[in-house]
Amino acid sequence: MKTTTRVVVIGGGVVGCSVLYHLTKLGWSDVMLLERSELTSGSTWHAAGGFHTLNGDTNMAALQGYTIRLYKELEEITGMSCGLHHVGGVTLADNQDRFDMLVAERAKHRFMGLETEIVTPEDIKKIAPVTNTDGILGALYDPLDGHLDPSGTTHAYAKAARMGGATIETHTKVIETNQRADGTWDVVTDKGTIHTEHVVNAGGLWAREVGAMAGVYFPLHPMEHQYLVTEDVPLIVDMMKDGIEHPHVMDPAGESYLRQEGKGLCIGFYEQPCRPWAVDGTLWDFGHELLPDDFDKIEDSIDFAYKRFPDLETAGIKSVIHGPFTFAPDGNPLVGPVPGMRNYWSACAVMAGFSQGGGVGLMLAQWMIEGECERDTFAMDCARFGDWITPGYTRPKVIENYQKRFSVSYPNEELPAARPFRQTPMYDTFDKMGAVWGQQFGLEVANYFAQSDEPRFETPSFRRSNAFDATAREVKVVREAVGINETHNFGKYIVTGPNARDWLDLIMAGRIPKQGRLSLTPMLSPKGRLIGDFTVSCLSDHAFQLTASYGSQAYHMRWFEQNEAEGVKVANVSDRLTGFQIAGPKARDVLTACTRDDVSEMKFMDVRQLTIGLVDCLVQRVSYTGDLGFEIYCDPMAQRALWDTLWTAGEPHGMRPFGMRAMMSLRLDKFFGSWLSEFSPDYTAAETGMDRFISFKKNTDFIGRAAAEAERDTGPTRRLCAFEVEAEDADVNAYEPIWLDGSVVGFCTSGGYSHHAQKSIAQGFLPSDRVADGLEVEIEILGKLRKARVLTTPLFDADGARMRG
């Protein structure tokens, strides 16, 4: 066995083999995979082997499309069969919400190049005759759906990797992973020690145990999963005589998926009385075993399936497959460089390995070799969870995700499991004021405030929800008086040291401000893509405060650590600094009443240290509402004292609390973008208009400069625009296609209702050469084309007089 290699991949399931293959495909041949048993041991060997493209996240859907198309390439490369059955598939909708979701997904697929279509009950009977369509409104048909041979496919990945120079060692158990001072690793096995530059944890059912060897907790948990294979079904036998294979059928109402298996049917369930497996850890000697049959927990699911697929009731059961596989709390994989670690990579919790494994392998290989991926991978980035996450949180969220695997996914839905968990000192106060809570990065965040006669729950919907009136009230308060909310859900960092300014000039593309001032700046990847949208505040010559997206803390800290420099210290103080923002025409009056300091001359984008009531605070003259406003930061221990001061001074001016629903409406008035909507690694600064904050004059070769300059010289091919939409009861959410001259030319990034302007507003991309004020387009919302026109003048404070005055 080799004792040195560039990469060690731990785990020989489909994901580990895909990572190994893609590393060789992209040019790294000195790579090794270690498997404690045989390839496919764990979850891979007993997988149902189905694959599909449907995913609520468009980048995940695109990666699933890549995975499915890759299989024919693997067969051509290796000469091995993956056992492909491209039979197509239908996802059924038995109510309007499910149908709305499928129609919205079909719309997204238009600009993704996926050839799906909405079909009627009559069509379903022809496509999938085993289905009883009583009560069915329609379905989404995807010709790419199908299934394969899990073992054959995994071994095809492995052979392709070997052909590229990779080494695979089976029956080689990893015992320890120890990091050297230079960042490289010693991987200790029962056959010897391997020195490697990089370690990839693709441990599957054992990912937790492999991570623990390096002192890393991976938020994933195995769940028991059961599917049945029937004896011959006459309908299937008859179809086979005509050379026809029955397509897949996903029945969300019945929490089941069905496909043909031989001359019978295979059906699996995501049952509500589900069970987590190996709660305290996966035993090392588990491998090719199955769990005992358990019909009790799927009894209700089977009864429902007999009604939806009557042929099942008369078919005998040939075999029962009951085995574990892993989920992350949100159901997406955990992929990428592990925050806080050097040269340690994750490829875990890939629940749908034969839909996602190829895309996971490609993205991780690009990340390792090229330094960044070709698309935004945040939906599967292991940095989307912070160091606050625990096994006690992970388990109930995984159970919830399993139970909702086939549930409707609403854009405004807030899932209840493991909540509330993380709360600020203001939680009880706001809760008594009627707060309807959401969460971000595990933290409770007020979405809006319900009156005493209104429900304390926002109805999940694709249309305008019961939060509409409350949001309108809060917007009115901000625009006409003064609103207050917390600054707890901002990511906050303190950068100090003699080289802090020089380091920020390198990390940030924008201008770094003078003392007492702040600036807005994008942070770019080497390829010029947006990886951050920051406010930089200069506190002194050698101290700065940064603010950005709260949910991207681990992502941003990982980047800061990867680009660390002498004479610079970066501290994540996101939960050690909190406070409030006040916004609206009366905001200055409130602040004046709370402090002996003179705030009348505090200009837009000024930063001051002020004593407000009893509390020393950092105050910034800026607001995401687009109104006159101030961000006020303090120690969490003093937050309630600060609240008492601001609230007492604010009530005479009509102050009321406002939540994130109002914030998202207010920002639309000024066409402000939102992180991971308008701004993400999928887009560049020039495409989004963020290039106006780039300082091309500064004498620093900041990260991404060459790419940004090249795009400045040539111009982007698409630009972010704002639209007024002739909507009815549903506004743009994200990724709705934009039609022009009868074809799809762009897509929306976000949208909503401007309660101030009383208009439906969307943002999205159009080809640069077509952008013009007043340009008329159509935006597809829930299957209907809605007229829209390009806006170039903000709906509120167009000249900035109130915000800047």
Side-chain angles (χ1 to χ4, degrees):
M1 185 174 71
K2 292 171 59 176
T3 58
T4 61
T5 189
R6 191 169 196 174
V7 181
V8 165
V9 178
I10 303 173
V14 64
V15 175
C17 291
S18 172
V19 170
L20 194 72
Y21 162 65
H22 282 92
L23 287 170
T24 64
K25 183 178 182 179
L26 269 62
W28 282 10
S29 58
D30 183 18
V31 294
M32 174 185 285
L33 183 145
L34 303 179
E35 166 54 45
R36 65 179 184 87
S37 182
E38 298 283 356
L39 296 183
T40 78
S41 298
S43 296
T44 296
W45 76 273
H46 63 70
F51 52 79
H52 56 89
T53 58
L54 185 63
N55 191 296
D57 182 276
T58 55
N59 279 316
M60 290 301 299
L63 290 175
Q64 289 175 196
Y66 166 80
T67 300
I68 294 167
R69 295 184 181 100
L70 176 65
Y71 293 133
K72 288 185 178 179
E73 178 183 326
L74 278 178
E75 290 183 329
E76 292 171 358
I77 291 171
T78 64
M80 297 178 65
S81 172
C82 293
L84 290 177
H85 296 259
H86 275 290
V87 296
V90 290
T91 301
L92 308 177
D94 68 330
N95 61 42
Q96 190 60 49
D97 279 358
R98 284 199 174 98
F99 191 71
D100 285 348
M101 183 181 78
L102 296 181
V103 169
E105 290 303 308
R106 168 65 188 108
K108 294 177 187 178
H109 295 164
R110 292 188 195 281
F111 65 86
M112 294 172 61
L114 298 175
E115 299 299 327
T116 58
E117 61 179 301
I118 298 295
V119 295
T120 67
E122 292 73 24
D123 296 326
I124 297 167
K125 287 297 293 182
K126 296 175 183 177
I127 297 169
V130 77
T131 310
N132 174 9
T133 58
D134 290 349
I136 297 296
L137 302 185
L140 179 73
Y141 174 71
D142 186 346
L144 281 181
D145 275 14
H147 58 277
L148 45 65
D149 169 24
S151 178
T153 300
T154 304
H155 282 277
Y157 274 123
K159 182 176 180 180
R162 287 190 180 102
M163 292 170 68
T167 301
I168 296 176
E169 298 288 346
T170 58
H171 299 283
T172 305
K173 181 182 177 182
V174 174
I175 301 171
E176 299 177 17
T177 56
N178 302 314
Q179 191 164 39
R180 297 185 181 184
D182 64 357
T184 62
W185 292 84
D186 288 323
V187 178
V188 182
T189 78
D190 57 1
K191 294 182 178 178
T193 298
I194 304 160
H195 180 222
T196 183
E197 183 179 352
H198 299 275
V199 170
V200 177
N201 182 347
L205 293 175
W206 296 268
R208 294 174 296 175
E209 288 70 28
V210 172
M213 294 177 189
V216 179
Y217 169 64
F218 285 91
L220 56 85
H221 203 291
M223 295 292 294
E224 298 180 3
H225 183 66
Q226 199 163 202
Y227 66 90
L228 317 176
V229 178
T230 74
E231 301 285 356
D232 292 1
V233 173
L235 175 63
I236 300 299
V237 173
D238 289 342
M239 291 179 66
M240 292 181 69
K241 291 177 181 176
D242 295 326
I244 300 171
E245 186 171 358
H246 198 283
H248 287 206
V249 184
M250 284 194 284
D251 181 23
E255 301 158 346
S256 70
Y257 58 88
L258 174 141
R259 66 169 174 82
Q260 181 176 330
E261 175 69 22
K263 296 179 181 180
L265 293 168
C266 167
I267 185 167
F269 305 100
Y270 285 87
E271 68 285 355
Q272 292 302 302
C274 58
R275 292 198 186 101
W277 181 78
V279 172
D280 297 315
T282 304
L283 297 176
W284 285 109
D285 59 0
F286 184 84
H288 279 81
E289 300 88 348
L290 289 173
L291 307 179
D293 298 350
D294 189 349
F295 290 101
D296 289 344
K297 70 174 180 175
I298 60 172
E299 182 178 4
D300 291 343
S301 299
I302 291 174
D303 287 343
F304 194 99
Y306 285 164
K307 296 181 179 67
R308 180 70 72 217
F309 310 110
D311 291 85
L312 287 174
E313 193 165 10
T314 56
I317 296 175
K318 179 190 293 185
S319 59
V320 180
I321 308 298
H322 190 201
F325 64 126
T326 56
F327 280 81
D330 59 2
N332 278 344
L334 299 171
V335 181
V338 175
M341 304 291 288
R342 293 174 64 190
N343 299 335
Y344 193 96
W345 304 79
S346 175
C348 305
V350 188
M351 177 274 303
F354 293 99
S355 291
Q356 300 173 342
V360 166
L362 175 66
M363 291 300 101
L364 191 63
Q366 289 180 347
W367 223 328
M368 295 177 73
I369 296 172
E370 301 172 10
E372 59 184 288
C373 305
E374 67 185 49
R375 62 177 66 248
D376 177 18
T377 56
F378 192 77
M380 66 178 183
D381 191 337
C382 56
R384 70 187 185 277
F385 298 109
D387 56 10
W388 51 268
I389 201 165
T390 68
Y393 176 92
T394 297
R395 188 164 53 255
K397 294 305 287 187
V398 165
I399 291 171
E400 177 184 63
N401 186 272
Y402 184 99
Q403 291 172 327
K404 295 184 72 65
R405 172 75 173 143
F406 281 151
S407 297
V408 177
S409 179
Y410 298 95
N412 67 328
E413 187 172 21
E414 296 286 352
L415 301 178
R419 293 180 54 204
F421 179 28
R422 305 175 71 232
Q423 307 159 52
T424 74
M426 286 302 299
Y427 181 85
D428 290 342
T429 299
F430 279 163
D431 198 56
K432 291 175 183 176
M433 298 177 79
V436 178
W437 296 99
Q439 71 84 33
Q440 184 183 17
F441 209 55
L443 179 68
E444 294 297 313
V445 178
N447 280 339
Y448 66 95
F449 291 81
Q451 293 181 342
S452 58
D453 60 343
E454 295 175 332
R456 292 284 298 276
F457 176 76
E458 182 178 5
T459 304
S461 177
F462 290 98
R463 292 170 168 79
R464 293 171 188 163
S465 76
N466 61 322
F468 190 82
D469 291 343
T471 303
R473 288 194 304 268
E474 294 170 22
V475 167
K476 183 178 176 68
V477 164
V478 173
R479 290 290 183 243
E480 296 182 1
V482 57
I484 184 169
N485 73 358
E486 290 189 85
T487 57
H488 62 323
N489 60 330
F490 290 164
K492 298 172 283 284
Y493 315 87
I494 298 296
V495 181
T496 56
N499 297 329
R501 179 178 290 276
D502 291 341
W503 183 79
L504 286 170
D505 259 327
L506 175 68
I507 290 290
M508 302 295 173
R511 178 182 57 84
I512 307 304
K514 297 179 180 179
Q515 184 170 338
R517 295 285 289 168
L518 65 84
S519 65
L520 307 178
T521 173
M523 185 166 72
L524 304 180
S525 75
K527 295 182 180 179
R529 298 188 173 274
L530 290 169
I531 58 172
D533 168 26
F534 280 82
T535 299
V536 178
S537 306
C538 183
L539 312 182
S540 70
D541 288 342
H542 305 303
F544 299 81
Q545 177 176 304
L546 315 182
T547 55
S549 166
Y550 185 81
S552 296
Q553 288 172 57
Y555 176 94
H556 286 147
M557 280 301 296
R558 181 178 64 196
W559 183 249
F560 296 154
E561 291 165 358
Q562 288 173 351
N563 291 279
E564 63 185 2
E566 290 290 331
V568 182
K569 181 180 179 181
V570 182
N572 181 0
V573 296
S574 298
D575 297 322
R576 288 187 275 146
L577 271 183
T578 186
F580 303 94
Q581 72 160 320
I582 57 174
K586 302 295 185 182
R588 185 185 286 111
D589 297 334
V590 172
L591 190 59
T592 298
C594 297
T595 180
R596 295 182 61 82
D597 295 290
D598 182 11
V599 297
S600 62
E601 298 302 318
M602 192 172 179
K603 300 187 295 295
F604 181 61
M605 301 183 82
D606 272 354
V607 179
R608 300 264 186 94
Q609 296 282 351
L610 302 178
T611 300
I612 300 175
L614 305 174
V615 185
D616 285 338
C617 302
L618 180 73
V619 181
Q620 303 190 154
R621 171 82 191 279
V622 68
S623 175
Y624 191 50
T625 66
D627 216 310
L628 169 65
F630 301 86
E631 293 175 356
I632 306 168
Y633 297 94
C634 70
D635 187 318
M637 294 293 288
Q639 188 184 16
R640 292 181 67 160
L642 178 60
W643 164 260
D644 290 340
T645 298
L646 291 170
W647 187 249
T648 300
E651 277 197 293
H653 294 285
M655 177 182 279
R656 293 290 182 271
F658 69 103
M660 290 306 297
R661 296 286 184 259
M663 180 78 84
M664 290 296 103
S665 176
L666 290 159
R667 63 108 181 174
L668 290 175
D669 297 342
K670 298 282 284 186
F671 309 152
F672 288 167
S674 176
W675 184 246
L676 294 184
S677 292
E678 284 67 45
F679 310 137
S680 87
D682 278 335
Y683 314 129
T684 67
E687 289 175 335
T688 58
M690 286 291 283
D691 55 338
R692 67 188 185 278
F693 297 117
I694 293 179
S695 177
F696 289 108
K697 294 182 179 179
K698 67 179 182 180
N699 188 27
T700 305
D701 187 18
F702 58 82
I703 296 173
R705 178 164 193 152
E709 286 180 335
E711 191 170 37
R712 178 194 60 183
D713 294 341
T714 61
T717 59
R718 62 183 178 182
R719 290 188 184 275
L720 185 66
C721 303
F723 305 86
E724 178 184 345
V725 187
E726 293 183 14
E728 291 183 357
D729 62 341
D731 303 298
V732 160
N733 175 45
Y735 298 109
E736 292 84 353
I738 302 173
W739 294 76
L740 181 62
D741 299 333
S743 62
V744 174
V745 297
F747 62 93
C748 296
T749 52
S750 73
Y753 190 77
S754 164
H755 288 276
H756 170 73
Q758 296 187 352
K759 295 177 178 180
S760 183
I761 301 298
Q763 296 191 71
F765 286 103
L766 285 178
S768 297
D769 59 359
R770 301 303 302 270
V771 175
D773 187 33
L775 176 71
E776 294 185 352
V777 298
E778 292 178 302
I779 296 177
E780 185 176 349
I781 302 177
L782 298 181
K784 295 183 179 180
L785 295 180
R786 302 294 184 184
K787 292 182 179 179
R789 65 183 184 90
V790 173
L791 301 176
T792 56
T793 302
L795 305 172
F796 169 77
D797 194 31
D799 60 359
R802 194 145 107 185
M803 183 173 70
R804 300 171 181 272

